[in-house]
Amino acid sequence: MVELYRRLWLATGKEQIILIVLSLLVAAIAAVPLQLQKDIINGLTEKIATEQLFLLCGVYFLVLLVNAGLKFLLNYRGSVLGESVIRRIRGVLYREEHSEQEEGLDRSTLITKIADEANAVGKFAGEAIASPLLQLGTLISVVGFVAVTQPRLGLLIFLLILPQAFLVLYTQRFINTRVSERVRTLRKATKEISASDVRQIEQSVLDDFDSIFEKQREIFKIKLSVKFLLNALNAVGTVGILLLGGLLFIDGRTDIGTIVASLSAFQRINEPWRTLIAFYRQLSAVSVRFALLIPQRNN
């Protein structure tokens, strides 16, 4: 994993800096809409003036537009960077394989690397740093807003994040093993198809396809089981915020705007949290592919 990031930074460091700046800007304003939402709702309960309502809603809309524009730039530049790295990897793989095996080039393995594995590794380049930075920054910004506004609700949200992190970290190692086995089996099958009489190795290749299917099915089973548990924890969070917030409101220790903003914050952190989970899974899978694609002896 360290070697993967080292090579990505050497190849794309300047572009990554731009993505980092954009990510920090998006994360920095993540809590602003929540504060505006809280002010608008509390203002309505206190019979806010019409002019002030228009002003708050106008600022709210402007912040959302700025946020959307920054995300557009971030996603566009990240996508283009990823595609650029895919092009570089494919070129390097083709030149290296061609020069080292001029006479007996293993075309099947080369085709698999160029068509599938290079795409997975290269696409990751545009998200390698900016994506986790954006999502972590958003989580810190949003959870920090709730913690400052109402510490008890902030603590509840934080405690709901911890078991989700444990689930993902614990189960990912099983997924990584299956990803590695699937890639190796696919390479073996394509090599047999191109190097032998198809009729002689038909059953062997079909067995490889069955093995690939089983590995992928196991990956689906693990991922979807974890997703079910995460959805259950999110349901606990939503109900918990309403229950705890309601009790605090009854006791006069919070206001309606804070409860609504906290509920909105919890829903808002679902997106960056799910993205972080997906990113970690992608990072783990890409690290496996990277180790198979570019052996360490090439350092």
Side-chain angles (χ1 to χ4, degrees):
M1 191 176 297
V2 174
E3 177 63 15
L4 170 62
Y5 269 91
R6 185 183 73 82
R7 294 203 182 195
L8 284 177
W9 184 261
L10 288 175
T12 65
K14 293 181 179 179
E15 295 90 341
Q16 296 289 355
I17 291 174
I18 296 175
L19 296 179
I20 289 172
V21 172
L22 289 172
S23 297
L24 291 174
L25 288 174
V26 174
I29 64 174
V32 177
L34 296 174
Q35 180 62 50
L36 291 168
Q37 187 180 83
K38 173 189 171 185
D39 292 341
I40 291 171
I41 293 173
N42 282 337
L44 291 174
T45 61
E46 299 169 2
K47 300 186 183 300
I48 189 175
T50 303
E51 296 79 5
Q52 191 174 359
L53 176 62
F54 271 106
L55 177 61
L56 288 173
C57 288
V59 174
Y60 192 5
F61 181 68
L62 180 61
V63 170
L64 294 178
L65 281 183
V66 171
N67 187 55
L70 290 172
K71 284 185 177 179
F72 170 80
L73 288 175
L74 177 62
N75 292 331
Y76 175 74
R77 296 190 70 100
S79 298
V80 172
L81 175 59
E83 196 62 34
S84 174
V85 172
I86 292 173
R87 180 177 60 182
R88 294 186 206 177
I89 293 176
R90 285 172 173 165
V92 170
L93 286 173
Y94 179 78
R95 287 193 295 269
E96 286 186 354
E97 293 284 352
H98 186 73
S99 62
E100 292 178 6
Q101 304 179 30
E102 186 68 38
E103 298 299 327
L105 179 64
D106 184 356
R107 297 184 183 277
S108 63
T109 301
L110 177 58
I111 290 172
T112 301
K113 288 181 177 181
I114 290 177
D116 180 39
E117 297 168 34
N119 187 71
V121 175
K123 185 179 179 182
F124 175 76
E127 307 171 357
I129 299 177
S131 180
L133 185 63
L134 169 62
Q135 308 311 330
L136 281 173
T138 301
L139 282 173
I140 293 172
S141 179
V142 172
V143 175
F145 166 80
V146 178
V148 171
T149 305
Q150 177 44 253
R152 290 180 178 83
L153 293 177
L155 178 62
L156 174 62
I157 292 175
F158 177 74
L159 291 176
L160 287 167
I161 291 177
L162 291 180
Q164 296 185 37
F166 172 78
L167 277 172
V168 174
L169 292 173
Y170 178 74
T171 58
Q172 187 59 41
R173 57 179 178 170
F174 300 106
I175 295 176
N176 290 348
T177 300
R178 287 157 178 78
V179 169
S180 179
E181 292 173 352
R182 185 171 64 85
V183 171
R184 293 179 187 276
T185 304
L186 181 58
R187 284 186 180 182
K188 174 177 173 290
T190 54
K191 185 175 182 179
E192 288 178 342
I193 291 172
S194 62
S196 309
D197 185 336
V198 176
R199 289 170 296 182
Q200 295 178 357
I201 48 87
E202 178 179 353
Q203 189 57 50
S204 176
V205 172
L206 292 177
D207 290 342
D208 287 338
F209 290 165
D210 289 340
S211 177
I212 292 170
F213 170 78
E214 289 300 326
K215 297 302 178 187
Q216 196 64 32
R217 184 169 67 172
E218 291 173 7
I219 291 173
F220 291 152
K221 187 183 298 183
I222 296 172
K223 285 185 175 180
L224 292 175
S225 297
V226 172
K227 185 176 182 180
F228 170 79
L229 294 174
L230 295 180
N231 286 335
L233 287 171
N234 286 332
V236 171
T238 300
V239 175
I241 289 174
L242 288 173
L243 177 60
L244 179 58
L247 293 173
L248 291 172
F249 178 76
I250 292 173
D251 290 341
R253 288 183 284 177
T254 192
D255 52 64
I256 293 296
T258 298
I259 297 174
V260 173
S262 297
L263 189 60
S264 179
F266 183 70
Q267 298 300 323
R268 179 165 295 190
I269 67 172
N270 279 338
E271 180 182 353
W273 181 236
R274 288 178 185 276
T275 303
L276 269 178
I277 291 173
F279 172 81
Y280 176 72
R281 286 174 172 166
Q282 183 186 14
L283 170 59
S284 298
V286 168
S287 295
V288 172
R289 290 175 177 268
F290 177 78
L292 295 171
L293 186 65
I294 306 176
Q296 298 301 308
R297 61 180 175 79
N298 289 338
N299 288 351

